[in-house]
Amino acid sequence: MEFPPEGYMPAESALPNVEIYKPIPPEEEERPELVDFTCPNCNATTAYSIAAGGLECSNCGYYEPPEHTAVGKQAEEFEFKVEVIERAAHGWGEKRTDLTCSSCQAVTTLPHGSLTHTCPFCGSSAVVQTEAKQDALRPRFLIPFSVEEAELYPKVEAWLGSSWMLPGKLQNAAKMGLFNRIYLPFWTFDSRASAAWRAEVGYVETERYFDDGEWKTRTVTKWRWETGSVQRTFDDYLITGTTHVTQAILETIRDFDMSKLVPYEPKYLAGINAQAYEIALEQAWEAGRTAMREATRKACEQDALAGEADKVRNMTVTLDFSGESWRYVLLPVYLATYNYNDETYQIVVNGQTATIGGTRPVDWAKVIAVSAVLFVPAFLLGVIGLLLPPLLCVAGLAFMAAIAGVVALLSTAWSIIDPAREKKNMLEGMNVNDVFKQL
Amino acid sequence: MTFSSSYSPPLVCEVCGSILLLPNGAGDRTCPNCFRDALDPVTQGEQVVQGTPEGIVPFAIGPDEALRRLDTFTQAIPFRPKEIEEGALRQRLRQTYLPVWLVDADLETIWKAEVGYHYQVVSHKEDYVSGAWRTREVKETRTRWEPRVGRMQTRIDNVPAPALDGFMQLMRQLDGFDLKRMQPFAPEHLNGAAIRLAARTTQDAWVDAEPRVQEAASGEVQRAATADEIRDFAWAQPQFQHNWTQVLVPVYTTYYLDDDDEKQVLFVNGVTGTVNGDRRASMRRAQPRALIFGGIGLAAGAISIVLALVLLLVFPPAALVGLAGLAVAVGFGVAAISPVVRVMQFNNRTQNAQVWKTTLTKTSQ
């Protein structure tokens, strides 16, 4: 019998009479601490090419493919233990430059030697360049860019003209800045939530009763205490690691296909900006748990209402999280700012799916005009109703319909303008806790 | 086999199969294992396992302490058999030495196993009460398993192996014998106690000892790997060199008669004082109390009915007194059933408890 078996190496033994062998760990790639993206043919600087899916030299055409293929959902997940965080690799694996924006305080890391002097988040040129710190946790996986910048302009133009509430010809009037390719930090969380609930469940019934010499019917709710249990599995629940694009905006572009995750290699970042996480793991997990437990509580309510139940009250839930794990990933995003009427607005585009989110101005004159159009007939009908009392009822209905229409209009306008208000907060330096409250 | 000239030649119990030596001049000539009077000299056809004890664990507790432990043990019996109350256990208490094999194994083997290292993770439990969540952080210990192979050359000492059938079970039930108290065998230690002779050869005993040697080897690997746990330990072609030692360990035995006049033997560990054996409640002692309560109940019931009927005719509202009497009668009825039920429940429960006597009798017969 061959001993030690193939694939084993000596391990430390605390007793001299016991020899121990352990499996040889998979070969660690001998990667230099800092990678230099210089073309081996012509010494020009290479950069990541979206079309080619690898490192390319624009000078001589040299191409270098990524070393790893997609691992997708098989990408390693980590448990919530301190040792893992301590053992995890740190830094970017290449020399990079930190660009700190004096306006919005965002810190972006750039390829070394980049000539960029504009903040990708707010478009400000009041920036300070310093050498990037190498002590932050290194991302383990990322989704490479798969949308070319050229594809974005027509789509963004269409997006800027996609609502009548937007200023006319916004797509022409908006002074678009260049799109910045940037990898934004995200945390993904997996967990199983096992919940046991207890609540008073109400069943609405119609009953007949005799009163005042006649039979009448009435609706009553019969309450009874019930219990149940709900299991929910959360897979790759995304929480942003940046405070400079709000969760509300990122929600609109979160349709990332996580099956395209690849192991992190510095070459994916060649020529592309990136941001290290600003929201630490514990904070992000707290936000993730908050969202997960609310989703589980709603599932408990639905469970209680299953069958013939109509109402639920006094619900208590006991929830156990298990199998919790996390990943720190970089996801591809295009950021651009544009100016309209001396105001700066932000556009965020999913670098994998081209889904667009962001802030847009609302043309209040149009909104007020349409509201007026809705109110005028109602006002006229009201006057007629006062003159001809039989039509008063119709006038009242028309008036209420007009109010409902205006409320719907304002609500739609608010959904467009709301991110803009968030952006204003962002520029003033947003509190991380506010981001969580928005969840 | 001669321990001393003061002992009888080997005797065999025709009931439980024990082979033993009794001190010459012992007044009680019954078997100290089953207390039957069925001891005969061993004939040539009956096989006696050869071997002289090299060690002995002397009695550490005296008969008085053993009886105190027995008294505590039997206090838990409801309606204890009359014999116990009358001190039968004291009169029948016997000192016996039981044989056990100890094997020292020089081992050389290749092994494989999975070793486990503990680590802690932070998890959360949440409570939703009155519209708000309360979060509790909990730390869970998990085990990271890693495969290991290796080679070891070691000596594993004093692994006990049964010299009597069912002995390991008795050893567990009596909380084991502290083998650290073992002394070299000397006839003076016997002090008139009966001696059971080994019924199993070292080859037979090795079948029981080998898993324990493997367990000890596995423990050594765990210590070598500084692991918190170990599992799936297996060895390939282990080479052994055995050294067998026979050791005598001390027990007290005694018995009481149950309702069916069956002898219920009790064992007391001569080192630790742990007691084991069948505890049987006495229905005979429960019945008088049941009858007294039952009689009172019946009488109270009859008087209450008569009283109720009379009062119904004389002054109907006073018939309630009769009804109250009936309620008292029912109470006495329930009290009458209670001792019987208690005895039945206790005996059913203890019948399922495994005691050595049962196993030994089965394997010996």
Side-chain angles (χ1 to χ4, degrees):
Chain A
M1 184 180 171
E2 185 200 355
F3 191 86
E6 200 179 331
Y8 279 78
M9 59 185 278
E12 197 176 329
S13 171
L15 300 178
N17 58 327
V18 181
E19 286 176 54
I20 303 179
Y21 295 84
K22 64 182 179 183
I24 297 170
E27 271 190 35
E28 291 272 337
E29 289 166 48
E30 292 227 355
R31 187 185 292 160
E33 195 57 32
L34 296 177
V35 179
D36 185 18
F37 295 110
T38 307
C39 175
N41 291 342
C42 66
N43 282 337
T45 303
T46 56
Y48 182 77
S49 160
I50 296 172
L55 213 56
E56 204 171 52
C57 175
S58 56
N59 190 40
C60 69
Y62 169 79
Y63 172 71
E64 194 179 308
E67 287 162 32
H68 300 106
T69 52
V71 289
K73 290 199 171 273
Q74 303 305 314
E76 188 183 0
E77 290 165 339
F78 300 95
E79 292 170 303
F80 282 90
K81 54 181 182 178
V82 178
E83 305 93 274
V84 169
I85 300 170
E86 285 174 350
R87 276 210 305 264
H90 288 71
W92 293 102
E94 58 160 328
K95 199 170 182 182
R96 294 182 74 87
T97 303
D98 269 353
L99 184 131
T100 307
C101 174
S102 308
S103 176
C104 73
Q105 310 305 321
V107 179
T108 311
T109 82
L110 315 173
H112 188 57
S114 168
L115 299 175
T116 303
H117 287 280
T118 310
C119 172
F121 293 98
C122 67
S124 167
S125 54
V127 293
V128 179
Q129 283 200 11
T130 53
E131 193 167 311
K133 290 177 187 169
Q134 299 284 344
D135 58 352
L137 204 63
R138 180 184 295 181
R140 297 292 295 266
F141 302 95
L142 58 76
I143 294 177
F145 276 89
S146 49
V147 176
E148 293 274 13
E149 189 177 342
E151 297 172 41
L152 300 181
Y153 291 99
K155 288 186 178 178
V156 168
E157 205 168 292
W159 181 72
L160 288 175
S162 62
S163 172
W164 64 265
M165 290 189 191
L166 300 174
K169 297 179 182 175
L170 174 66
Q171 60 267 57
N172 300 327
K175 290 172 186 166
M176 282 292 302
L178 288 174
F179 275 103
N180 281 294
R181 285 188 294 173
I182 185 167
Y183 281 108
L184 290 184
F186 281 83
W187 302 99
T188 76
F189 297 107
D190 285 7
S191 180
R192 281 187 303 281
S194 306
W197 59 264
R198 184 171 183 271
E200 276 190 285
V201 180
Y203 295 84
V204 177
E205 293 176 5
T206 305
E207 63 179 23
R208 280 167 62 78
Y209 66 103
F210 193 75
D211 182 39
D212 210 11
E214 60 175 328
W215 283 99
K216 298 176 181 173
T217 57
R218 64 183 171 195
T219 304
V220 291
T221 303
K222 295 197 172 166
W223 295 96
R224 63 171 182 244
W225 284 100
E226 292 185 6
T227 58
S229 61
V230 164
Q231 309 280 331
R232 282 209 60 176
T233 302
F234 297 93
D235 184 30
D236 285 334
Y237 196 89
L238 271 183
I239 294 288
T240 175
T242 177
T243 57
H244 287 84
V245 181
T246 65
Q247 184 80 19
I249 292 179
L250 289 171
E251 281 295 322
T252 60
I253 61 151
R254 65 178 297 157
D255 55 342
F256 291 100
D257 179 3
M258 302 302 280
S259 68
K260 298 287 192 292
L261 278 176
V262 296
Y264 173 81
E265 287 179 49
K267 66 177 65 165
Y268 285 112
L269 269 61
I272 300 175
N273 300 345
Q275 196 192 18
Y277 61 88
E278 296 167 306
I279 298 174
L281 172 62
E282 282 186 14
Q283 285 175 289
W285 175 223
E286 195 180 329
R289 248 184 14 254
T290 303
M292 287 177 187
R293 72 187 184 193
E294 274 309 304
T296 309
R297 187 184 63 76
K298 282 177 186 161
C300 288
E301 278 183 3
Q302 283 167 4
D303 189 45
L305 288 169
E308 294 173 359
D310 300 292
K311 299 174 186 173
V312 183
R313 70 181 183 190
N314 294 329
M315 175 169 265
T316 59
V317 179
T318 306
L319 196 163
D320 272 7
F321 283 109
S322 61
E324 304 100 317
S325 60
W326 59 272
R327 286 195 208 108
Y328 170 32
V329 298
L330 294 180
L331 299 181
V333 164
Y334 282 99
L335 287 180
T337 54
Y338 65 93
N339 288 313
Y340 179 77
N341 280 354
D342 297 331
E343 284 277 343
T344 304
Y345 297 88
Q346 192 178 41
I347 296 175
V348 185
V349 185
N350 185 318
Q352 186 190 27
T353 63
T355 306
I356 303 171
T359 55
R360 289 175 288 182
V362 169
D363 189 340
W364 287 109
K366 280 186 188 175
V367 176
I368 289 165
V370 173
S371 301
V373 167
L374 283 172
F375 259 112
V376 168
F379 179 75
L380 290 175
L381 276 170
V383 172
I384 295 168
L386 286 174
L387 297 173
L388 299 168
L391 290 177
L392 191 61
C393 188
V394 177
L397 283 174
F399 195 74
M400 285 169 67
I403 288 176
V406 170
V407 168
L409 274 177
L410 291 176
S411 168
T412 311
W414 200 254
S415 71
I416 294 172
I417 205 164
D418 190 43
R421 291 166 69 86
E422 288 175 10
K423 177 179 148 285
K424 197 177 175 190
N425 288 340
M426 175 197 83
L427 293 173
E428 287 167 359
M430 187 175 234
N431 186 336
V432 173
N433 292 328
D434 295 338
V435 178
F436 294 131
K437 280 176 191 165
Q438 290 161 23
L439 293 170
Chain B
M1 184 183 300
T2 308
F3 283 91
S4 142
S5 56
S6 56
Y7 274 81
S8 69
L11 302 168
V12 61
C13 176
E14 300 300 338
V15 177
C16 72
S18 302
I19 298 174
L20 49 94
L21 305 175
L22 290 182
N24 288 332
D28 190 348
R29 302 296 293 178
T30 57
C31 168
N33 183 55
C34 67
F35 289 91
R36 302 309 199 283
D37 187 9
L39 293 178
D40 290 321
V42 171
T43 58
Q44 281 192 336
E46 284 161 322
Q47 198 179 357
V48 177
V49 175
Q50 297 301 311
T52 307
E54 292 175 46
I56 186 167
V57 179
F59 279 90
I61 61 166
D64 288 340
E65 177 62 17
L67 286 164
R68 200 183 62 74
R69 300 293 183 107
L70 281 164
D71 191 50
T72 308
F73 182 74
T74 55
Q75 285 293 342
I77 307 175
F79 301 102
R80 291 201 297 182
K82 199 176 171 190
E83 279 213 329
I84 298 179
E85 301 282 359
E86 290 171 353
L89 300 180
R90 172 180 286 277
Q91 291 157 20
R92 296 162 182 162
L93 192 68
R94 305 270 294 272
Q95 287 185 317
T96 307
Y97 277 105
L98 304 178
V100 59
W101 292 113
L102 291 185
V103 60
D104 299 336
D106 285 312
L107 167 68
E108 190 174 343
T109 186
I110 290 169
W111 56 266
K112 69 170 186 176
E114 280 193 319
V115 290
Y117 297 94
H118 289 171
Y119 63 93
Q120 285 202 315
V121 295
V122 175
S123 185
H124 292 85
K125 293 186 189 303
E126 312 259 355
D127 296 303
Y128 180 76
V129 182
S130 306
W133 286 97
R134 277 201 307 263
T135 303
R136 282 173 293 143
E137 190 177 283
V138 287
K139 282 194 174 137
E140 287 176 8
T141 300
R142 294 185 187 165
T143 307
R144 183 182 71 255
W145 291 101
E146 297 177 5
R148 294 284 186 273
V149 297
R151 197 156 40 191
M152 67 191 303
Q153 193 172 15
T154 189
R155 181 184 173 85
I156 291 162
D157 287 331
N158 290 340
V159 176
L164 299 172
D165 290 320
F167 177 78
M168 299 315 282
Q169 188 192 349
L170 176 72
M171 199 155 155
R172 276 196 300 277
Q173 288 165 349
L174 293 183
D175 290 344
F177 296 91
D178 184 3
L179 295 171
K180 286 180 189 153
R181 303 173 72 100
M182 185 173 67
Q183 297 176 9
F185 177 78
E188 300 81 67
H189 287 124
L190 296 172
N191 200 24
I195 302 164
R196 291 278 304 274
L197 299 184
R200 305 179 84 216
T201 62
T202 52
Q203 287 89 339
D204 292 338
W206 176 244
V207 176
D208 292 289
E210 189 176 2
R212 290 187 178 79
V213 172
Q214 194 177 40
E215 197 179 320
S218 158
E220 200 151 322
V221 167
Q222 185 183 335
R223 283 193 298 282
T226 58
D228 298 302
E229 291 182 54
I230 188 165
R231 69 180 182 191
D232 298 340
F233 179 87
W235 54 28
Q237 301 155 357
Q239 304 293 314
F240 292 109
Q241 280 196 333
H242 302 150
N243 180 32
W244 292 89
T245 309
Q246 198 187 98
V247 177
L248 296 178
V249 294
V251 292
Y252 287 97
T253 55
T254 185
Y255 75 92
Y256 64 91
L257 294 173
D258 65 13
D259 282 352
D260 301 325
D261 286 338
E262 286 284 326
K263 290 176 176 173
Q264 301 296 342
V265 182
L266 301 177
F267 295 84
V268 184
N269 187 323
V271 179
T272 63
T274 306
V275 185
N276 192 258
D278 247 346
R279 284 186 279 202
R280 313 289 297 165
S282 171
M283 190 63 87
R284 277 188 203 159
R285 295 199 66 197
Q287 279 166 348
R289 187 182 293 186
L291 285 171
I292 290 168
F293 280 116
I296 294 171
L298 278 174
I303 292 166
S304 302
I305 289 168
V306 172
L307 193 66
L309 287 172
V310 171
L311 288 173
L312 208 59
L313 294 172
V314 180
F315 182 58
L320 283 174
V321 176
L323 285 178
L326 269 179
V328 171
V330 169
F332 273 102
V334 171
I337 296 167
S338 159
V340 177
V341 171
R342 205 164 156 218
V343 168
M344 285 168 68
Q345 278 182 335
F346 183 84
N347 286 348
N348 277 341
R349 204 165 56 236
T350 52
Q351 202 166 24
N352 296 328
Q354 288 188 332
V355 290
W356 190 44
K357 183 204 75 174
T358 317
T359 310
L360 187 65
T361 309
K362 275 182 188 167
T363 52
S364 301
Q365 281 172 348

